[in-house]
Amino acid sequence: MICPRCEYEFDPANGLSCPRCGAPASCSGVSCAECGACSSPFERLRRRLAERLAGEPRRDQDSPGDDPASES
């Protein structure tokens, strides 16, 4: 895999961050054919779900428009 920031080639099996500059690689930005970090389809699914959950804002926190008292 080639780091998108510094273009260093590294083996993603040891982690998805570049050992030279520390830039994290994202499953959404790298195809599975380029990467090879996942040992199974289930690992690919787990990584993609974890990235999506980490990237989306939490919906269970109260926001100003979610006040149940103001829904009359």
Side-chain angles (χ1 to χ4, degrees):
M1 170 177 218
I2 297 176
C3 175
R5 184 184 297 166
C6 70
E7 297 183 3
Y8 177 72
E9 187 171 354
F10 66 96
D11 182 11
N14 297 325
L16 287 180
S17 59
C18 177
R20 179 189 278 172
C21 71
S26 170
C27 286
S28 61
V30 178
S31 72
C32 291
E34 293 173 308
C35 181
C38 300
S39 59
S40 72
F42 296 111
E43 180 67 16
R44 282 192 295 257
L45 180 61
R46 186 195 68 76
R47 285 185 194 254
R48 287 186 186 199
L49 286 173
E51 282 186 3
R52 283 188 183 175
L53 291 174
E56 291 184 11
R58 293 183 58 180
R59 295 175 186 248
D60 61 350
Q61 295 177 349
D62 292 331
S63 63
D66 291 342
D67 186 15
S70 66
E71 292 183 3
S72 358

